[in-house]
Amino acid sequence: MITSTTGPQPADFADVRATNLAVVLRFVREHAPCSRADIAASTGLNKATVSSLVADLIDRRLVRETGLTENRVGRPATMLVLDGSPYAAIGVEINVDYVSAVATDLAGERLLTWRRSFGGGESVNQGVAGVGAIIRRVVNRMAREERQVLGLAVAVPGLVDVQGTVRIAPNLGWRDADIGGDLTKALRDPGFPIQVDNDANLAALAEQRFGAHAGASDLVYLTGEIGVGAGIILDGRLRRGRLGYSGEIGHVQLDPDGPECHCGRRGCLEVMAGIGAVLGKDPSPAEIQMEIEESVRLARAGDPATLATLESVGRSLGKGVSILANLLNPEVVILGGYYVPLAPWLLPAVQEEMDDRVIAAGSGGQVVASTLGHDAAALGGAARVLDSIDSGRLPRVP
């Protein structure tokens, strides 16, 4: 497992101890099992400081000792690994027809994965009440396991500004909603921070930390749900843009004479390469999974009409991905959501368009299907909480 931020380095400013605690914790996460001497040699911190910092992390139950190793020059060394057994990070995704919840420990191991139906189109108040009830169940489960919740991050399919306000989530019918504040009230000030972000952003974090291309410094995640959005990681960091609205690739126009999009324009990527284009209609949320499974069945059976549709959608998707490739030059573009089961038929057409349209030959990177499934955005919520720990927001001594 690899973290998704460049991480702190030893510093000389006021909160130097908190910063250096994060430096040591990050080193243990990435290099465990490791010794105190390994940490000192790699970070530039002196041995006495490292010993003090490690003792603090052990007191917080973030790190533990795991015995001696003799496979090195000199005296045997006591090795360190992550602990984090008293803690949990929670991620939640709100989508049109479901809510996913994931809880992980400090090392990113899943403690819980839930998926519950959700009434798309509910008012913000109704939605918050329903999501809050699910979150309470997750928090209560963690409490029964004697785990302290480090934080919660919520993924929403829409424009989320840098303050976490959902400016517009068209498929949910929500506008200018303070979901974080509303959830804090619904949970009666739970004692841990609640963050809100766009679903593609958090899914990109999940891919960068947990996915098949974990550690990639430059990647793009494309959602394949009702809408199409992009989560963008460049130079190892999530890029949100000035207001937080980056990644709205779904409304890039591919054909001015194309079909009308929900946004009022014509020929947008979303209407030409979204799930509605695959199915030939805008299915209700309850129908999507069944319709996708039927498309997969027909494609496997060699149905000519289905194969032609998937090739056409793949070519439109390839045009959109080529724009991203020329603009951002990512190492990998990852297709998520409902694109995953359709990937065997979409990817050849996507790659062919990429080969034709990317200006610098071979610079478009790979285009692959996600291995994280529909839980990617929720898992990314947990990853965002873990990122905050890596950045120095450490829990107090239990």
Side-chain angles (χ1 to χ4, degrees), residues 359-371:
I359 301 301
S363 68
Q366 294 178 271
V367 184
V368 301
S370 174
T371 59

Side-chain angles (χ1 to χ4, degrees), residues 110-282:
R110 294 201 196 195
L111 306 170
L112 171 151
T113 302
W114 286 352
R115 185 177 167 117
R116 300 289 185 266
S117 61
F118 181 70
E122 291 185 343
S123 70
V124 173
N125 289 341
Q126 290 173 316
V128 167
V131 173
I134 293 171
I135 293 171
R136 276 193 295 273
R137 291 185 60 193
V138 176
V139 171
N140 290 339
R141 170 78 170 268
M142 295 300 99
R144 289 196 298 272
E145 296 181 7
E146 299 183 343
R147 291 180 180 271
Q148 174 189 340
V149 175
L150 296 169
L152 163 70
V154 180
V156 178
L159 294 181
V160 181
D161 68 20
V162 291
Q163 284 77 40
T165 301
V166 179
R167 290 303 176 190
I168 179 170
N171 294 319
L172 293 172
W174 295 356
R175 282 181 175 272
D176 297 323
D178 180 13
I179 300 301
D182 291 343
L183 282 173
T184 298
K185 294 175 185 176
L187 298 172
R188 299 178 182 178
D189 296 321
F192 51 78
I194 297 176
Q195 305 172 79
V196 180
D197 205 341
N198 170 264
D199 57 345
N201 285 346
L202 292 182
L205 286 182
E207 293 289 350
Q208 209 274 345
R209 185 181 275 260
F210 301 116
H213 292 265
S217 295
D218 301 274
L219 70 79
V220 175
Y221 178 94
L222 282 184
T223 60
E225 305 291 343
I226 295 293
V228 179
I232 300 166
I233 289 178
L234 296 178
D235 299 324
R237 301 184 68 85
L238 182 66
R239 303 299 179 176
R240 293 186 174 85
R242 181 173 66 89
L243 298 177
Y245 303 154
S246 67
E248 287 300 311
I249 186 69
H251 297 289
V252 168
Q253 189 179 62
L254 299 184
D255 182 359
D257 298 319
E260 186 174 357
C261 181
H262 294 298
C263 71
R265 301 177 181 87
R266 288 191 171 275
C268 293
L269 175 65
E270 187 169 297
V271 75
M272 297 188 68
I275 296 307
V278 173
L279 303 179
K281 60 179 181 178
D282 288 330

Side-chain angles (χ1 to χ4, degrees), residues 9-16:
Q9 296 297 318
D12 295 324
F13 47 85
D15 204 8
V16 65

Side-chain angles (χ1 to χ4, degrees), residues 1 50 80 104 155-156 210 235 241 267 275 297 302 326 368 375 390-391:
M1 183 199 67
V50 168
L80 303 167
T104 74
V156 178
F210 301 116
D235 299 324
I275 296 307
R297 186 190 69 79
N326 283 322
V368 301
D375 299 322
D390 285 347
S391 298

Side-chain angles (χ1 to χ4, degrees), residues 93-107:
E93 179 191 7
I94 304 173
N95 214 301
V96 176
D97 59 336
Y98 66 85
V99 174
S100 287
V102 172
T104 74
D105 65 12
L106 193 67

